[in-house]
Amino acid sequence: MNPAAFDLRSRAETLGAALPPLLAAADQLAATVILGEHGRRRAGMGDDFWQYRPAHAGDSARSIDWRRSARSDAHFVREREWQAAQAVTLWVDQGASMRFASAKGLPEKADRAQLLALALAILLLRAGERVGLAHPGEEPGEAIAPRSGRVQAQILAEALALRRTDADYAPPLTAGVEPRSLVVFLSDFLGDPAPVEAALAEVGARSARALMVQVLDPSETDFPFAGRVIFQSMAGSLRHETRQAGDLAQRYRDRLAERQDRLAMLARQSGGRFHVVTTDQPVTAGLQWLYHAVEGARG
Amino acid sequence: MMPTVLGLGFASPALLLALVALPVLWLILRAIPPAPILRRFPGVALLIGLTDRDATTDRTPWWLLLLRILAVGAAILGFAGPVLAPDRAAVPGTGPLLILVDGGWADAPDWTRRAQAVNDLLAEAGRLGRPVAVVSLADAPQPVTFRAAEAQVGHAAALAPRGWLPGQDAAWIAALPDGGFETRWLSDGLDHPGKADLARALLTHGAVHVTEGGTSLVALKPPVFADGAITLAAERPLAGPETAVTVAAIGPDPSGSERDLAQLPLTFAAGATGAEGKLDLPPELRNRIQRFEILTAHHAGAVALTDDSLKRRKVALVSDAADKEGLQLLSPLHYLRNALEPSADLIEGGVSDVLPAHPDVIMLADVAQLTDLETQGLQDWVSKGGLLLRFAGPRMAAADPLRLADDPLMPVRLRGGGKTTGGAMSWGAPKQLAPFPAESPFHGLPLPDDLRVQTQVLAEPDAQLTARTIAALDDGTPLVTRKPIGQGQVVLFHVTANADWSNLPLSGLFVQMLERLAISSRPEDQAVNLAGQTFVPRQVLDGFGRLADAGALAGVAGEALAGALDAGPSPAVPPGLYATAERAVALNALGAKVSLQPAAWPAGVAVSGFTAEKPVDLKGFFLAAALALALVDILAALMLSGRLARGAGAALGLVLLLTLPVPQARAQETIIPPGTSAADARAIQATEGVVLAYVLTGDAAVDQVSEAGLKGLDDQLWARTAVEPLDPMGVDPAKDELAFFPFLYWPVTAEAPALDGATYEKLNRYLRNGGMILFDTRDGDGSSLDGSSPESQALQRIAAGLDIPPLEPVPSDHVLTRSFYLLQQFPGRYVGAPVWVEAAPPDAEQAKGMPFRNLNDGVTPVVIGANDWASAWAVDEYGAPLLPVGRGGAGETQREYAYRFGINLVMYVLTGNYKSDQVHVPALLERLGQ
């Protein structure tokens, strides 16, 4: 494991340890064929024994547990607990715009987004869910398929630590999103909104739901600039010069609010939710929201 | 003079024109917007398409503009060379300019200021093209001519205060040129004869500006010796508040170097112009005084030279008549005794008794028979500078003429018998004195009419008789003859010392003659005493009170000298030391009958003081302000543009903090509660830890070496042993408490005086109670302790009253040789001089199985040596050796051994004979074995 990945994982473990195991909600439970560790406390398809019940008419002969039935006169059917695991696909913006921190004491947005994503992943993995990544990992393939198990956290951590693009704004990826699963987008959503809408349309097409978390630097919400300023995007693709930066502040904030409204609407349309975290807030607050959001999405 | 604006003068005022450009700068600065800042900002995507509503840019804020304008303005002012309070007294004028300085010694205290003022006036006159004359009123009057200022610069540079005060101001009036001119008079503030007249005369030519010195002048009157004490009087021209001055008596010490022999504080009462004090000194000290000086005053008036009048000669009176019972008035010595007693120290006795006392003068009254031994002794004494004064008498007249002829102590050969005139059995009347010849020391003394000589001894006429006669009767027979022998002389009065043969001893002339022979001295009647003689200046006093060799100055008639003694010196009679063959007369800058009076100026004279405030050059200040403003501007610009990192302020603070002085780490500060007396504070300091102490000798160099030496020893003790002494302290055994110090280092100087009884008692108590003193005569380079060197004698003086047990050189088994290091010798800066400690008891016996004797107890109270240890130990403030020891590597080894001795000594002081207890080891082991 490379040191950056190790560092990221250990910090995420620390953060995740503070929350109780998270039960993933799965409203498409019945349709899920792959069973998770978590029983639904009702008879169903699964590996673990649930109960013996007297055989009814209509039970197939194959379903009768002959070993149990031989101990008595009646026939018994061995029922197993119904277990289900939800698939959660994470997408963390790897664009250059995320590598921004306005002040020395603040973390970069990408840092914060990765931390949140991995903490969530660890919580979910601990609860037995399957977590995947919409990015390609170190292994070949265009995405990391959702899997369960502690090892997956390791794989996710290493994949997140990879730096993939130098473009200013990266379009959201939806590769590997399973139908009726949950997708979590972590980005600043400051770039062109069209790819975002396309991605959400794709998510909707797969009957999946989207949780959108906008990670912003405080200076991006407040716009504390004045005087003659040339603004430049992180990679330098965009430039804007103003003589009175202070005069732009209100209009900038209006545009930001407008963008956030649109994102929230998009999220709602997919049955998900939208949330803004800033890097000067405590990171647990963001995770708390994600925890509740995933629970709520379970519905 | 430089132009002034609001009290500010400018060296290059043209630069001020640049100030006009400031408003332009303002406009330019306003027009140029601040440079844009490049910011990386991911939110820029949201900004695309937003336009500025206001086309104009942010202006530079007005206060930043003001800051910059001020910075530039300060720089312009700074480069223009601003000067605060330039010499406003210098008012430009036209026409010739006469610069007068008094030029007497009263100018000396602030002469540099006066010379500067003259130079300033000359420089300004040169700029204005005015002809100038520079005149020192103390010089002899000569016609004043105006010349170009440049031509006068050299003359002005040669001006120096004279040793006398100007006294011929009136005579200068005639020397003034015709026509109008302006006068600048740099006055010493004293009134001189004719000063007001001169000022009035100057006013008829033009304006007169007087600049008076503001110094509080104090001058010393010639010292007067009366009633066994020297009376010193000081004078000041203006009655002011109470002031104290200190007068030092300066003369050679026994080693011949000049030093303060005594000091006398004089206090001017408030409102008084005079102060007086009496100085009572032993004759030995008094005779050595060469001059008195007011300390801290540097002018001739503060110096009073002394001459014979302060000296008391030692006169031995010898007569053969001691065994002859007779009336006192007939005693040959009676009149001599009475004449000399007030002014000389008298010794009486036989020749062999008085010679060892080294008298200045020996008087033989009618002594004809001298043994060969006495003759030889007297001859030696005379040839070394003694004055032998002989008087004739019946015995001399009756002596064998052949024998007298052989006597080398006779100025002339005498004929047998004497000559009696005017008696019952003789022809003629008693003889009178003839006027003294010019080469006689008595020349100029008035002859009383009633002087009669009845009887005298006669000299054989020969070739030398006339030359040797210094007084004769009117018939030409010699009355007083003299002959030089070596550096001294023999003088013979051909009459008796009593009134038997003449009434000379009864007359005032007799006393005056003795005075002329420098046998006695009386300050009265100087005019008579000096008259008729020529005095040659030996040393002269300049205006600053410095003595210099007189060189080839012409001699001065006694009458002129006597006048100058009263009225003060003049160009013809400069102050200094005048002498004839027999006597010396000191002429001081302040005449005995002169009193200092403040100058009174006639109306119309503009009087001002010297400008108290020196012109202050403000250039540096303005430039520094400009620089500071520029720095503030940088900070402000950074702050405005947001580029001022938050850390910058902290960094700035850190830099400021680092420049603050950091307290010394090793300094062991003793916290002394407030309200503690000095003695208590000292006690607290001394008892904070082990403190090695040294005795203050009064010789600063020795004390410094002592302190540095103990400091070096301290360092070595810190480094090598468990003893961690504090900084050494100096103690004065007479004043300071000694009980705090386990160890005193006492360097003995040659001049060290014996101590008084209380101090001895204190020191003995200290020694009895376990203190130790290391006496160091510091002369181990040769003379060692055989008692011959001055230091050894001083040590004997000091140690006489101390309770010191019998001593012996350190035996090889002494604890000192092994208290820390094993040592065989104890070098300091010198090696080899024996070191003395308390002698071991005689019954000490060799300890069994040990290389040393069984010596219990008895830590020596003193260690005496001559190896100058402190010099070897001494380190400077950086811990490097202060003084060289030996040569090269061997010297450093010697220094190391010196340190080892010091450490051994301190260990010995602190642990006593602990090491000596090793003798008991076998016994202890044996006891443990049981």
Side-chain angles (χ1 to χ4, degrees):
Chain A
M1 191 194 314
N2 67 52
F6 181 81
D7 180 52
L8 178 59
R9 183 176 172 194
S10 63
R11 279 157 58 209
E13 294 262 16
T14 318
L15 187 63
L19 284 176
L22 179 64
L23 282 177
D27 54 346
Q28 303 280 340
L29 197 58
T32 306
V33 285
I34 302 167
L35 299 179
E37 280 180 336
H38 284 263
R40 307 304 303 172
R41 313 235 172 235
R42 48 194 279 202
M45 300 179 72
D47 292 331
D48 289 351
F49 168 78
W50 178 246
Q51 66 178 0
Y52 293 109
R53 66 164 171 84
H56 302 305
D59 287 335
S60 72
R62 282 174 61 198
S63 62
I64 291 172
D65 189 287
W66 294 109
R67 193 178 294 244
R68 172 69 181 88
S69 303
R71 286 192 229 152
S72 63
D73 295 335
H75 293 87
F76 287 91
V77 172
R78 178 192 176 99
E79 286 196 326
R80 294 172 217 175
E81 189 183 16
W82 189 4
Q83 292 179 333
Q86 189 176 16
V88 178
T89 304
L90 304 173
W91 177 75
V92 178
D93 190 345
Q94 304 275 0
S97 69
M98 292 295 280
R99 292 192 286 276
F100 172 73
S102 62
K104 238 178 197 165
L106 291 177
E108 288 181 2
K109 292 188 290 176
D111 205 27
R112 176 55 55 87
Q114 285 169 0
L115 186 58
L116 277 175
L118 195 62
L120 181 66
I122 288 166
L123 282 176
L124 291 171
L125 288 169
R126 201 176 287 163
E129 313 292 353
R130 294 181 301 119
V131 183
L133 204 57
H135 315 280
E138 283 171 330
E139 297 156 18
E142 64 173 345
I144 297 172
R147 285 192 204 97
S148 58
R150 299 282 294 173
V151 183
Q152 183 71 355
Q154 188 67 44
I155 294 166
L156 293 179
E158 289 184 11
L160 283 172
L162 287 179
R163 178 179 161 168
R164 284 188 191 78
T165 177
D166 286 325
D168 267 326
Y169 306 101
L173 301 173
T174 51
V177 175
E178 296 185 356
R180 290 173 295 280
S181 67
L182 186 64
V183 189
V184 180
F185 293 105
L186 291 133
S187 171
D188 54 7
F189 298 113
L190 289 174
D192 186 7
V196 180
E197 285 173 22
L200 279 171
E202 174 70 24
V203 167
R206 299 189 194 177
S207 315
R209 290 173 305 125
L211 290 180
M212 298 173 74
V213 179
Q214 190 178 27
V215 182
L216 290 180
D217 191 86
S219 72
E220 289 167 340
T221 60
D222 300 341
F223 201 74
F225 306 112
R228 189 173 174 207
V229 184
I230 297 175
F231 293 105
Q232 194 177 35
S233 62
M234 297 303 285
S237 65
L238 292 176
R239 257 174 100 92
H240 181 77
E241 177 172 349
T242 176
R243 290 165 179 249
Q244 301 245 352
D247 189 47
L248 292 181
Q250 191 52 49
R251 283 183 281 165
Y252 169 84
R253 287 196 282 267
D254 289 346
R255 280 194 170 188
L256 184 64
E258 187 189 328
R259 169 70 59 92
Q260 285 170 342
D261 285 347
R262 181 162 178 75
L263 291 170
M265 195 193 71
L266 286 172
R268 269 199 307 279
Q269 280 174 352
S270 78
R273 294 167 72 181
F274 172 77
H275 183 62
V276 180
V277 296
T278 53
T279 52
D280 59 343
Q281 291 170 343
V283 64
T284 46
L287 188 61
Q288 201 81 38
W289 182 86
L290 271 173
Y291 170 77
H292 287 298
V294 172
E295 286 238 304
R298 191 184 68 191
Chain B
M1 219 49 223
M2 53 178 72
T4 59
V5 179
L6 297 171
L8 279 180
F10 291 97
S12 35
L15 268 178
L16 293 180
L17 288 178
L19 288 175
V20 178
L22 284 184
V24 182
L25 187 68
W26 176 281
L27 291 177
I28 293 174
L29 282 178
R30 259 182 83 82
I32 298 175
I37 308 161
L38 186 67
R39 283 193 178 281
R40 297 201 173 269
F41 184 62
V44 64
L46 298 180
L47 293 171
I48 300 295
L50 292 182
T51 49
D52 291 331
R53 283 177 200 153
D54 187 359
T56 56
T57 175
D58 261 3
R59 289 247 172 91
T60 311
W62 66 268
W63 53 267
L64 187 62
L65 270 180
L66 188 67
L67 197 70
R68 289 175 180 170
I69 294 290
L70 281 178
V72 175
I76 291 173
L77 286 178
F79 282 116
V83 177
L84 186 64
D87 193 1
R88 263 170 263 149
V91 186
T94 53
L97 177 68
L98 175 64
I99 302 172
L100 289 183
V101 293
D102 278 334
W105 52 258
D107 281 354
D110 52 355
W111 182 253
T112 40
R113 205 163 59 170
R114 292 169 188 277
Q116 186 59 45
V118 171
N119 282 338
D120 288 351
L121 286 171
L122 277 178
E124 194 207 342
R127 266 199 297 280
L128 298 174
R130 306 174 69 182
V132 188
V134 180
V135 164
S136 171
L137 292 176
D139 293 343
Q142 50 190 321
V144 176
T145 48
F146 291 104
R147 292 198 181 86
E150 290 74 20
Q152 296 282 16
V153 171
H155 177 52
L159 285 179
R162 306 293 186 178
W164 53 90
L165 292 175
Q168 297 169 290
D169 285 3
W172 277 98
I173 297 175
L176 293 177
D178 294 335
F181 53 85
E182 186 195 350
T183 306
R184 308 294 304 244
W185 192 336
L186 304 170
S187 162
D188 57 15
L190 297 180
D191 197 19
H192 306 301
K195 193 169 197 169
D197 294 338
L198 178 58
R200 270 190 288 274
L202 288 169
L203 276 175
T204 62
H205 290 279
V208 177
H209 300 275
V210 170
T211 311
E212 276 191 339
T215 54
S216 47
L217 198 68
V218 176
L220 202 59
K221 288 260 188 188
V224 177
F225 181 74
D227 303 331
I230 302 165
T231 305
L232 290 169
E235 205 177 283
R236 57 179 176 181
L238 283 171
E242 188 173 293
T243 315
V245 295
T246 306
V247 179
I250 296 171
D253 64 3
S255 68
S257 56
E258 205 169 70
R259 58 180 287 178
D260 280 14
L261 298 171
Q263 292 199 341
L264 175 71
L266 293 180
T267 306
F268 289 95
T273 57
E276 208 174 88
K278 278 188 192 305
L279 190 62
D280 194 1
L281 291 175
E284 285 78 11
L285 214 52
R286 196 181 57 227
N287 287 345
R288 258 192 255 139
I289 296 173
Q290 289 179 336
R291 64 181 193 275
F292 294 95
E293 255 184 55
I294 296 179
L295 293 179
T296 70
H298 303 289
H299 55 90
V303 176
L305 300 171
T306 64
D307 53 18
D308 295 342
S309 62
L310 281 195
K311 295 199 169 68
R312 271 173 84 85
R313 306 247 174 188
K314 212 185 271 180
V315 177
L317 302 179
V318 180
S319 99
D320 272 354
D323 52 342
K324 195 171 87 176
E325 297 213 350
L327 293 172
Q328 199 187 22
L329 289 179
L330 297 178
S331 157
L333 294 179
H334 174 75
Y335 295 97
L336 286 175
R337 205 180 286 131
N338 280 348
L340 295 174
E341 205 149 38
S343 57
D345 295 331
L346 298 180
I347 312 168
E348 293 192 36
V351 170
S352 51
D353 298 334
V354 299
L355 266 180
H358 298 297
D360 297 302
V361 180
I362 296 182
M363 294 193 177
L364 301 179
D366 191 19
V367 176
Q369 306 290 332
L370 288 170
T371 65
D372 287 345
L373 201 65
E374 286 171 340
T375 306
Q376 190 57 43
L378 279 174
Q379 219 170 338
D380 289 348
W381 169 81
V382 171
S383 60
K384 282 182 194 153
L387 170 62
L388 181 65
L389 196 63
R390 304 189 69 161
F391 289 89
R395 238 165 304 201
M396 191 178 279
D400 177 7
L402 282 177
R403 187 179 166 80
L404 274 183
D406 291 340
D407 192 344
L409 294 174
M410 274 292 177
V412 291
R413 285 192 296 128
L414 294 183
R415 291 164 70 174
K419 184 180 94 169
T420 304
T421 50
M425 300 293 290
S426 66
W427 303 99
K431 298 299 179 191
Q432 291 204 1
L433 271 174
F436 298 113
E439 62 273 18
S440 160
F442 308 130
H443 181 69
L445 289 180
L447 296 175
D449 293 336
D450 53 351
L451 197 70
R452 294 290 182 273
V453 176
Q454 286 99 14
T455 311
Q456 67 183 119
V457 291
L458 290 175
E460 287 282 2
D462 62 16
Q464 292 173 318
L465 182 59
T466 321
R468 289 185 178 173
T469 303
I470 52 176
L473 295 182
D474 51 5
D475 63 356
T477 52
L479 180 66
V480 186
T481 54
R482 72 168 171 184
K483 175 176 85 170
I485 300 178
Q487 297 170 13
Q489 57 182 333
V490 180
V491 176
L492 174 66
F493 277 74
H494 291 232
V495 293
T496 53
N498 58 14
D500 283 356
W501 285 13
S502 72
N503 59 1
L504 177 66
L506 303 178
S507 71
L509 179 65
F510 184 60
V511 180
Q512 286 165 356
M513 288 168 88
L514 290 182
E515 235 159 78
R516 284 277 173 108
L517 289 171
I519 295 162
S520 69
S521 51
R522 290 180 316 153
E524 308 92 33
D525 305 329
Q526 284 286 33
V528 176
N529 284 339
L530 301 178
Q533 284 179 299
T534 299
F535 286 83
V536 180
R538 290 275 161 79
Q539 287 181 302
V540 288
L541 207 56
D542 70 4
F544 294 105
R546 292 177 299 220
L547 268 179
D549 197 58
L553 279 182
V556 173
E559 289 83 355
L561 186 59
L565 281 175
D566 284 343
S570 64
V573 193
L577 213 54
Y578 291 80
T580 62
E582 285 83 21
R583 47 199 306 224
V585 173
L587 175 61
N588 286 312
L590 188 62
K593 293 182 180 155
V594 173
S595 68
L596 302 176
Q597 297 292 335
W601 298 101
V605 173
V607 181
S608 64
F610 280 100
T611 34
E613 51 198 316
K614 302 272 300 177
V616 184
D617 191 353
L618 294 179
K619 183 173 187 173
F621 171 77
F622 272 100
L623 289 185
L627 186 64
L629 285 172
L631 287 175
V632 171
D633 175 60
I634 289 173
L635 286 179
L638 282 177
M639 193 189 74
L640 269 188
S641 60
R643 284 185 228 219
L644 186 64
R646 226 181 318 160
L652 198 67
L654 193 68
V655 168
L656 286 179
L657 203 68
L658 283 177
T659 55
L660 289 177
V662 180
Q664 290 282 326
R666 203 205 141 177
Q668 300 202 348
E669 291 298 327
T670 305
I671 295 142
I672 299 196
T676 319
S677 76
D680 286 352
R682 194 180 155 81
I684 291 172
Q685 199 189 343
T687 50
E688 282 286 306
V690 176
V691 175
L692 305 184
Y694 57 95
V695 172
L696 295 167
T697 59
D699 181 338
V702 172
D703 293 347
Q704 203 181 343
V705 168
S706 299
E707 179 169 16
L710 291 187
K711 188 85 189 54
L713 186 57
D714 277 0
D715 289 349
Q716 295 301 327
L717 286 166
W718 269 83
R720 306 186 188 192
T721 74
V723 184
E724 295 177 345
L726 305 183
D727 283 344
M729 294 170 74
V731 297
D732 180 352
K735 290 197 216 104
D736 297 325
E737 176 58 58
L738 300 174
F740 310 129
F741 307 105
F743 170 71
L744 285 184
Y745 176 72
W746 192 321
V748 181
T749 54
E751 300 86 34
L755 309 171
D756 60 29
T759 310
Y760 275 129
E761 195 181 331
K762 201 164 158 189
L763 282 169
N764 284 333
R765 199 166 57 238
Y766 173 72
L767 291 177
R768 270 198 297 279
N769 290 323
M772 181 193 274
I773 301 178
L774 170 62
F775 286 105
D776 189 352
T777 55
R778 305 174 302 118
D779 55 354
D781 50 341
S783 42
S784 87
L785 281 185
D786 59 0
S788 62
S789 75
E791 286 84 4
S792 300
Q793 285 165 3
L795 175 61
Q796 285 164 10
R797 263 203 311 279
I798 293 170
L802 288 179
D803 190 6
I804 295 180
L807 301 177
E808 63 177 358
V810 180
S812 62
D813 60 349
H814 194 269
V815 184
L816 258 181
T817 62
R818 58 194 145 90
S819 58
F820 196 84
Y821 290 104
L822 291 175
L823 295 177
Q824 268 87 50
Q825 52 178 1
F826 314 103
R829 218 171 162 208
Y830 308 117
V831 201
V835 178
W836 296 72
V837 295
E838 181 179 358
D843 55 350
E845 56 188 27
Q846 183 86 24
K848 202 166 53 176
M850 292 285 159
F852 38 80
R853 288 170 292 170
N854 195 346
L855 297 168
N856 260 353
D857 304 329
V859 177
T860 181
V862 292
V863 176
I864 298 176
N867 285 340
D868 197 6
W869 289 287
S871 296
W873 297 335
V875 293
D876 61 17
E877 58 202 295
Y878 308 109
L882 194 65
L883 298 165
V885 170
R887 197 173 279 253
E892 289 315 302
T893 309
Q894 185 178 333
R895 190 192 301 281
E896 167 62 24
Y897 277 100
Y899 279 130
R900 289 187 179 185
F901 166 70
I903 290 169
N904 266 19
L905 188 67
V906 173
M907 283 295 166
Y908 181 53
V909 166
L910 296 178
T911 64
N913 47 23
Y914 157 77
K915 283 278 180 175
S916 191
D917 288 345
Q918 284 175 30
V919 294
H920 303 297
V921 168
L924 290 172
L925 286 177
E926 194 183 350
R927 216 177 279 178
L928 283 172
Q930 291 171 356

